[in-house]
Amino acid sequence: MNNIVEFRNVSRIYKVGDHEQKALDRVDLTLQSGRMIVILGPSGAGKSTLLNLLGGLDSPTSGTITVDGQDISKFSGDELARYRASKVGFVFQSYNLIPTLTVRENVALVSEISKDHLDPDKMLSDVGLSDHGRKFPSELSGGEQQRVSIARALAKNPQILLCDEPTGALDSETGVMVLKVLLGMARQYGKTIIIVTHNQNIARIADTVVRVKNGRIKSAEDQTPVPVDEVDW
Amino acid sequence: MLFRKLIRTAGRYRAQFISMIIMTALGIGIFVGFNMEWYTIERDISSFFERTGFSDQRIISAAGFSYEDVRKVKSIGGVENAARYISVNTSAKDGDTVALTVTEDIAVSGFIVTSGEEYDEKSADGIWLSDKYADANGIKTGDALSLGYKSVTVSGVVRGLIKSGEYLICIPDQTQLMPDYSTFGYAYISPVMLKSVIGAEFYTQINVITELETKQFRERVDRAFGKTMLTVSKDDTVSYSEAMGESEEGKTMGSILPVLFLAISVLTMVTTMHRLTASEKTQIGTLKALGFKDGTITAHYTSYAALIGVAGTALGVALGVWLGWFIMNPNGSMGTYIDMDDWSLHTPPFVWAVLVLINAFLVLIGFLSVRKMLRGTAADALRPYTPKKVRRLLIERLPLWDRLGFGAKWNLRDNFRHKARSAMTLFGTVGCTLLLVASFGMKDTMDAFLDTFYNNAMNYTYRINVDAEKASRDDVAALAEKYEADTCSGQSIQIDGQTFALEIYGISHDTQRFVGDDGGYVALSDTGAYVSRRVARDTGAGAGDTLTFSRYGESGEYTVKIEGILRSMTESVVMTEKYADSVGIGYTADMLMTKKAEVEDDPLILNTQSKKSIIDSFDTFLDVMYKMLILLVAAASALGVVVLYNLGVMSYTERYREMATLKVLGFRNRRIGGLLISQNMWMTLIGVIIGIPAGVGVLRYLLAALASEYELNLSLGPVTFIAAAALTFTVSLIVGLMISRKNKKIDMVEALKTPE
């Protein structure tokens, strides 16, 4: 397996008035492709910042981030947009579906920006929502909405799937179901998954667990994952 | 503390606040401005008329009136004052015309002195001259002045410069649209001087100040004289009727335009206050949870609306006063038309009441918006506002729907989801196009009007006024032959107590053409008479009917058959000499129209008027019109920019999260901006499609309001439609670009962090 993500001496400093806040402090991190990676840490540790930098939503104050051999840390706005369109898929805690588009349209949306996209209908059937294509997001349950969001993220056919607290708004049972779908899909399509969470239980399903605290990497360890069904919170 | 919050929140929503204030200010400004215009005209003119003794009625006789006649009139019950009066057009240097006027009692049809000596009714050589004419011709008090009338020359010294109510609108006749003081003015001399010049007392009019109704007055005058007398009421004078026409125009402008702007302002207030209270719902809940009473919170949010109302009203009143001043000042647009001394501005009292009502209404909207968010417990109020659920649209059932791109679907559903915002956007673009079409259309119509009546219908180079008292029919015929001229005889007639002109033409050289009701030129038939549109309207007579009239100073009546309706500058009955002969109407032509380049001096010729001098007098008229046009186009563009910008910002805020999602997915800024602009453009297209016919409708309404002054036919060139549409699209595009530039600032991380 090759390295897909490399952080080299990455810092992200936010200026709030006169005050400087170091969200990430000289981070070095290497992640391998095709793995299920969980970034674990309490709130305010810097894990979301890490994910945002990796997803091209934000740029580092210093240091370099290489994804699939490309240094994205110096990318322009348009280059970042192209990167987001082709390399990464996002799954958020709050789903972020477009409320005025139907379920199918939300997934098919990616065909507008990605040449290499997958069939939206196939993706919907893979997440078990073939019958809901004509519904609006507001007509679905939280778990269903998150599955649409996973279908949409994967429809772009990205290399990496970035998930920010994907089960944060769901109850345990639904959360486990969503994780199952997520893992199943990632395996089926051979994607690298990076999940950011504060939930220790979720970390148990990962191949690699990266622990973050106070803007620094505390540890990054490979482990033997437990099946999703055994997880509970 | 809440006051600080008020100021900071106003800062946060500044785009909405500013645009609402501007919109309210524009609406109120136009409302106040035009209402000030008509009210000021009525107040200042009636005061001016009162001070100069403008007469309510005129009794006219070519044979003149004796002193005994005045006494008769004065003794009529209801007559306040009466005086013998005469006004004749005399020729001054360089072919100028000066209406030389004498009144036996300066309190009747008199004047006020603006500089120089006070009027002296015993003066043997004093001339009191129109100050505007003096100014335009470089004449000062103390200068000598000679005025010629037929063989008589009146020579005197300019003692004072004056303004007179009788010459409020100083035009030689109704074919001239605007005063031109460089060629036409007026002067007064004393009765003593008149007697010394002509050797006798001779007055063709008795001017009367009375409160009597015209009908009643006529009956009493006829009884006093024992015969039917020719009387003309002030309603038939140029000064009074045209000034009242201006006032009517002001009333029309003061009602249509402000309604449009204020309706937009109120609707914007509804959407904006809803938006503001919705996005502040958690704050409203927090205040409630903290223990603030509902009343305090309501008062706080209602004060946002009050703030907008008060600021908008203050600015609007300032704008209105400026607009009122812009139109109503001695050097402003109305100053080129009417001539009076006091231009102090007046506001009709109801305007203040309406302003209070508008503010109350705006506050009520604020009150209702916050009440909606306050409903239920503090916990209910703390829950963020949930926008309406998306519903499937009817058009989604059409097969076409599936072929639409994502952008079109996104925008269409957004439009239907936020109906108020979409309706407002439409309203704004419709209003913008409507104003532009009406403004440009007005110009087209006026241009066509001038072209039809002046450039083309006046096919002569000179109009020659013949001394009808001296010249026999043969003399006139000889002159006409010499100049290859057509002839015209103008007389005054009465139909059912209303005064109109009778024009009898002998046309064989095509020097004057007649404009038909539909706009084409009509060759006069010898088998009937024609009436101008206003005569047809006022008498109810149409083609094929008969019309009975009497000539002034005669008791006999004539009945003529109406051949057709004409559009004319004058309110007139028109016929050929042949038809007049066949009906038995006697006439002597007093005007010739020739295509010759020069007219020689001749004792039978009173004066000449060139077509060029008539056309030159349009310049001021056009200048005034263009100024108003620019003002309206500016208002239309401001309307478009303000409404669209406000709604654009609102749309941007409402779709911020969706746009952030698109960005995260990999959509570029330009693409998202394009989506926003295309939504604007589609809305604009619909707005333009509705706005064009609506503008034509408003123009028709305006023309109907102007119908008593001008017989206008709606005329619209393709350029008007193209320019109106192009300008609306430009405004929309500029605003779209301004809004879409904000995309770059969307913070994806922040936007997507909070749950919906």
Side-chain angles (χ1 to χ4, degrees):
Chain A
M1 265 180 232
N2 32 356
N3 295 345
I4 190 159
V5 173
E6 279 184 71
F7 277 58
R8 287 287 161 263
N9 206 22
V10 171
S11 292
R12 180 67 177 98
I13 299 163
Y14 294 104
K15 277 194 178 162
V16 187
D18 297 335
H19 178 71
E20 282 194 350
Q21 194 187 337
K22 277 189 185 168
L24 281 187
D25 187 9
R26 287 163 289 157
V27 166
D28 289 304
L29 179 67
T30 304
L31 301 172
Q32 287 180 323
S33 70
R35 292 181 77 91
M36 159 73 178
I37 300 149
V38 165
I39 298 175
L40 194 64
S43 71
K47 54 188 191 306
S48 286
T49 307
L50 203 104
L51 197 74
N52 292 337
L53 290 174
L54 186 52
L57 302 186
D58 197 359
S59 295
T61 312
S62 62
T64 57
I65 303 166
T66 313
V67 178
D68 197 23
Q70 276 184 304
D71 179 4
I72 66 163
S73 51
K74 302 285 184 294
F75 271 7
S76 69
D78 272 357
E79 284 169 328
L80 279 176
R82 208 175 305 135
Y83 165 76
R84 290 195 298 271
S86 58
K87 294 275 185 205
V88 289
F90 261 100
V91 176
F92 292 95
Q93 176 179 352
S94 48
Y95 329 130
N96 291 324
L97 300 174
I98 306 277
T100 48
L101 294 181
T102 61
V103 165
R104 191 190 173 279
E105 286 162 359
N106 259 287
V107 180
L109 187 57
V110 298
S111 63
E112 299 268 334
I113 39 162
S114 165
K115 284 182 207 142
D116 195 23
H117 65 89
L118 305 172
D119 176 21
D121 294 317
K122 170 84 168 59
M123 301 315 291
L124 267 186
S125 98
D126 284 350
V127 295
L129 291 172
S130 294
D131 299 339
H132 297 66
R134 293 185 66 81
K135 286 186 179 166
F136 285 104
S138 58
E139 294 168 318
L140 300 185
S141 71
E144 286 168 333
Q145 288 191 53
Q146 195 59 299
R147 277 148 65 194
V148 177
S149 151
I150 293 167
R152 182 178 68 182
L154 279 168
K156 280 198 285 186
N157 201 11
Q159 285 177 308
I160 311 170
L161 201 55
L162 302 171
C163 313
D164 195 352
E165 302 275 13
T167 57
L170 304 172
D171 61 66
S172 164
E173 204 179 321
T174 320
V176 167
M177 206 233 317
V178 164
L179 284 177
K180 247 190 196 171
V181 171
L182 195 57
L183 268 175
M185 296 281 284
R187 298 255 154 83
Q188 185 183 341
Y189 291 96
K191 308 296 176 195
T192 306
I193 302 187
I194 301 175
I195 296 178
V196 155
T197 181
H198 67 281
N199 190 333
Q200 304 258 5
N201 295 305
I202 293 176
R204 293 170 58 205
I205 65 169
D207 299 316
T208 305
V209 179
V210 179
R211 285 170 207 276
V212 185
K213 201 177 176 187
N214 295 331
R216 313 213 50 167
I217 307 290
K218 259 179 73 186
S219 65
E221 290 163 355
D222 291 347
Q223 63 176 30
T224 313
V226 302
V228 179
D229 285 332
E230 290 174 23
V231 178
D232 188 17
W233 62 85
Chain B
M1 203 59 74
L2 279 181
F3 180 72
R4 273 194 217 166
K5 180 181 170 310
L6 171 81
I7 299 301
R8 286 192 192 123
T9 310
R12 212 178 129 210
Y13 293 95
R14 59 184 173 278
Q16 272 98 335
F17 265 72
I18 293 170
S19 63
M20 298 260 326
I21 289 171
I22 293 177
M23 198 50 57
T24 312
L26 272 177
I28 288 178
I30 292 172
F31 174 68
V32 171
F34 282 107
N35 278 299
M36 271 178 106
E37 183 213 355
W38 72 260
Y39 194 67
T40 298
I41 291 178
E42 291 193 357
R43 284 279 298 268
D44 286 351
I45 286 177
S46 72
S47 142
F48 182 58
F49 279 169
E50 187 125 326
R51 283 178 291 119
T52 57
F54 184 75
S55 50
D56 300 303
Q57 300 287 347
R58 293 140 180 81
I59 312 169
I60 297 167
S61 163
F65 287 104
S66 66
Y67 184 66
E68 197 50 39
D69 293 332
V70 188
R71 283 193 44 195
K72 261 187 228 164
V73 175
K74 279 187 175 171
S75 64
I76 293 173
V79 167
E80 286 170 33
N81 202 354
R84 289 192 289 177
Y85 175 94
I86 187 168
S87 169
V88 288
N89 282 353
T90 60
S91 45
K93 54 153 190 72
D94 304 334
D96 287 5
T97 303
V98 171
L100 184 66
T101 312
V102 187
T103 174
E104 260 197 320
D105 181 350
I106 197 66
V108 179
S109 299
F111 52 82
I112 50 152
V113 177
T114 54
S115 73
E117 290 174 27
E118 282 305 308
Y119 173 67
D120 174 10
E121 60 181 15
K122 302 250 162 18
S123 170
D125 68 344
I127 296 175
W128 280 263
L129 185 66
S130 151
D131 55 1
K132 282 214 168 182
Y133 176 79
D135 191 42
N137 291 281
I139 301 171
K140 292 179 193 64
T141 48
D143 288 358
L145 190 67
S146 286
L147 302 169
Y149 181 68
K150 297 183 186 174
S151 55
V152 180
T153 302
V154 179
S155 295
V157 178
V158 178
R159 297 278 180 217
L161 301 181
I162 60 167
K163 288 186 193 295
S164 164
E166 297 291 330
Y167 298 99
L168 178 80
I169 294 165
C170 187
I171 52 177
D173 59 58
Q174 279 186 329
T175 52
Q176 201 132 339
L177 287 175
M178 298 290 281
D180 179 2
Y181 288 99
S182 63
T183 59
F184 184 79
Y186 60 91
Y188 277 72
I189 57 171
S190 72
V192 173
M193 187 168 169
L194 176 71
K195 198 174 173 184
S196 78
V197 171
I198 61 173
E201 286 184 338
F202 183 70
Y203 297 96
T204 52
Q205 278 179 237
I206 296 177
N207 287 6
V208 182
I209 295 175
T210 176
E211 296 276 310
L212 289 175
E213 293 288 321
T214 300
K215 196 165 171 269
Q216 215 176 7
F217 176 75
R218 281 187 179 149
E219 284 167 7
R220 294 188 187 185
V221 167
D222 290 352
R223 213 180 307 137
F225 281 88
K227 59 176 175 180
T228 309
M229 299 299 290
L230 166 62
T231 66
V232 175
S233 85
K234 65 179 175 188
D235 300 317
D236 290 323
T237 63
V238 171
S239 287
Y240 187 82
S241 66
E242 299 282 299
M244 288 309 114
E246 289 298 329
S247 162
E248 284 305 315
E249 264 173 59
K251 278 181 196 168
T252 309
M253 293 291 266
S255 55
I256 312 181
L257 286 179
V259 166
L260 178 72
F261 280 87
L262 287 174
I264 290 175
S265 165
V266 165
L267 288 172
T268 318
M269 182 64 111
V270 173
T271 46
T272 310
M273 279 312 292
H274 173 74
R275 177 73 217 158
L276 188 141
T277 48
S279 62
E280 294 247 317
K281 189 166 182 286
T282 46
Q283 293 203 39
I284 292 172
T286 309
L287 291 174
K288 194 166 172 162
L290 279 172
F292 279 94
K293 282 184 196 154
D294 280 8
T296 316
I297 302 171
T298 310
H300 171 71
Y301 281 93
T302 306
S303 58
Y304 288 100
L307 184 76
I308 291 167
V310 169
T313 306
L315 276 174
V317 169
L319 175 71
V321 172
W322 175 82
L323 184 64
W325 170 85
F326 178 78
I327 304 172
M328 294 300 296
N329 79 76
N331 302 311
S333 56
M334 202 59 76
T336 57
Y337 191 47
I338 60 182
D339 178 24
M340 56 182 180
D341 59 335
D342 180 15
W343 290 82
S344 40
L345 295 171
H346 301 280
T347 315
F350 78 87
V351 163
W352 304 120
V354 170
L355 292 190
V356 170
L357 275 179
I358 290 169
N359 276 282
F361 194 61
L362 292 180
V363 168
L364 180 72
I365 294 167
F367 173 76
L368 293 176
S369 309
V370 64
R371 277 294 289 263
K372 206 162 131 195
M373 299 300 160
L374 264 174
R375 253 179 237 151
T377 60
D380 289 333
L382 262 170
R383 228 162 275 139
Y385 172 75
T386 38
K388 267 187 278 175
K389 284 208 171 140
V390 190
R391 289 215 195 115
R392 218 169 300 285
L393 310 174
L394 274 177
I395 44 167
E396 293 186 32
R397 293 187 192 156
L398 300 176
L400 173 86
W401 178 261
D402 288 329
R403 276 194 247 152
L404 290 180
F406 130 79
K409 288 179 183 168
W410 187 49
N411 280 331
L412 268 169
R413 290 213 186 95
D414 174 72
N415 282 139
F416 282 97
R417 191 183 193 197
H418 301 283
K419 288 190 194 69
R421 161 155 60 77
S422 308
M424 286 297 309
T425 311
L426 263 186
F427 221 86
T429 48
V430 167
C432 182
T433 313
L434 175 154
L435 278 177
L436 292 172
V437 167
S439 311
F440 293 147
M442 198 61 182
K443 182 184 174 295
D444 284 351
T445 301
M446 279 319 231
D447 284 348
F449 170 75
L450 297 179
D451 212 44
T452 307
F453 281 99
Y454 292 91
N455 293 334
N456 298 331
M458 288 183 177
N459 203 19
Y460 52 79
T461 48
Y462 279 102
R463 221 156 70 173
I464 305 167
N465 290 314
V466 180
D467 188 343
E469 285 167 33
K470 245 195 232 168
S472 66
R473 274 183 100 147
D474 289 343
D475 291 337
V476 176
L479 269 176
E481 203 179 318
K482 179 179 172 189
Y483 288 107
E484 293 171 7
D486 291 329
T487 60
C488 173
S489 155
Q491 312 178 14
S492 291
I493 56 170
Q494 279 192 321
I495 305 169
D496 296 334
Q498 293 166 285
T499 308
F500 299 106
L502 170 66
E503 292 167 5
I504 301 169
Y505 285 94
I507 302 286
S508 52
H509 298 98
D510 189 33
T511 61
Q512 175 73 51
R513 293 173 189 152
F514 301 89
V515 187
D517 203 26
D518 58 356
Y521 294 104
V522 174
L524 296 188
S525 143
D526 292 331
T527 57
Y530 296 80
V531 290
S532 76
R533 199 185 274 175
R534 277 171 289 180
V535 174
R537 189 193 62 180
D538 293 350
T539 61
D545 295 345
T546 55
L547 187 70
T548 303
F549 60 82
S550 58
R551 289 202 290 188
Y552 270 3
E554 280 181 12
S555 50
E557 286 187 335
Y558 301 91
T559 299
V560 294
K561 185 184 135 233
I562 299 175
E563 190 75 28
I565 294 172
L566 297 178
R567 283 168 63 208
S568 166
M569 290 299 294
T570 54
E571 295 180 56
S572 54
V573 176
V574 171
M575 61 180 72
T576 62
E577 290 181 342
K578 274 193 187 141
Y579 184 67
D581 288 338
S582 74
V583 190
I585 303 172
Y587 60 87
T588 309
D590 51 8
M591 192 173 77
L592 303 178
M593 292 152 296
T594 178
K595 293 179 183 173
K596 296 273 185 207
E598 246 176 273
V599 179
E600 294 163 19
D601 277 347
D602 191 308
L604 293 177
I605 295 176
L606 283 177
N607 55 36
T608 59
Q609 208 173 356
S610 71
K611 175 176 173 178
K612 190 179 172 297
S613 74
I614 296 172
I615 291 192
D616 283 350
S617 72
F618 300 159
D619 288 351
T620 10
F621 177 78
L622 290 176
D623 187 50
V624 168
M625 204 179 73
Y626 289 148
K627 266 188 199 157
M628 290 301 287
L629 195 79
I630 290 168
L631 216 65
L632 277 176
V633 170
S637 311
L639 173 88
V641 169
V642 170
V643 171
L644 293 180
Y645 186 76
N646 179 27
L647 295 165
V649 169
M650 204 184 279
S651 158
Y652 175 81
T653 327
E654 277 166 356
R655 301 167 95 183
Y656 190 81
R657 197 189 172 86
E658 294 174 34
M659 289 188 289
T661 305
L662 291 180
K663 267 184 106 160
V664 169
L665 281 174
F667 278 79
R668 293 191 207 175
N669 290 326
R670 219 173 307 135
R671 179 77 202 280
I672 300 171
L675 289 172
L676 287 181
I677 290 175
S678 81
Q679 185 186 33
N680 244 358
M681 285 296 154
W682 280 105
M683 294 299 279
T684 308
L685 180 68
I686 300 170
V688 166
I689 290 171
I690 301 171
I692 286 178
V696 174
V698 166
L699 191 56
R700 279 186 199 284
Y701 179 79
L702 283 175
L703 295 190
L706 285 171
S708 59
E709 279 186 77
Y710 307 111
E711 295 178 356
L712 297 166
N713 266 17
L714 184 71
S715 169
L716 288 160
V719 176
T720 287
F721 295 120
I722 294 167
L727 246 162
T728 310
F729 273 106
T730 309
V731 163
S732 172
L733 184 65
I734 289 171
V735 173
L737 287 171
M738 275 155 68
I739 303 285
S740 67
R741 272 181 45 202
K742 288 172 179 273
N743 289 334
K744 288 184 192 143
K745 292 187 193 150
I746 292 178
D747 183 343
M748 292 175 276
V749 177
E750 276 303 311
L752 300 178
K753 220 183 326 187
T754 48
E756 206 158 349

